[in-house]
Amino acid sequence: AVLGTAFAFNILFKIPVWAGVILTVFSTLLLLGVQRFGARKLEFIIAAFMFTMAGCFFGELSYLSPSARDVTKGMFVPSLRGKGAAANAMALFGAIIHRTTCSCTLPWSSHGRPHGQTKASERPADTSS
């Protein structure tokens, strides 16, 4: 995920990959630091990122105006053509992995444990002995 994000920085902003790795690590630590202010603040930041990505996607889509036939074909028959296509594919893969790992943290409550699990002190006492 770190390399995919670093490649995305390289493609979008022409930042060297090594600097993209450092930037990715720094931003990850920054987001982890936001967790201490509560899960809602972190969820708000992630939602803002997602809406920004969706807005950029639909903006690009309206600017490029691809034909529906080409879009449909690209959905089912992927190909890597053109300069930088492999780097774009790696950046996309990194973004998918990053999104998948973010989704895995959503079931955690603001108390640091998955929903439905309780602390040992909150469980009923064992009276079987």
Side-chain angles (χ1 to χ4, degrees), residues 12-98:
L12 293 172
F13 306 116
K14 305 297 183 216
I15 296 173
V17 175
W18 65 267
V21 169
I22 292 171
L23 189 60
T24 303
V25 169
F26 177 73
S27 64
T28 302
L29 292 175
L30 190 64
L31 280 174
L32 288 173
V34 170
Q35 277 187 323
R36 64 187 282 241
F37 297 111
R40 293 288 177 217
K41 301 238 185 325
L42 183 63
E43 289 170 354
F44 177 77
I45 290 171
I46 291 172
F49 285 151
M50 290 175 61
F51 281 117
T52 302
M53 288 181 350
C56 290
F57 173 76
F58 287 113
E60 273 188 49
L61 198 59
S62 67
Y63 175 74
L64 295 175
S65 302
S67 70
R69 181 176 184 225
D70 289 341
V71 172
T72 305
K73 181 181 175 188
M75 286 172 43
F76 298 106
V77 185
S79 64
L80 294 176
R81 285 180 275 169
K83 183 179 179 185
N88 286 341
M90 291 175 70
L92 179 62
F93 183 70
I96 291 169
I97 296 298
H98 176 71

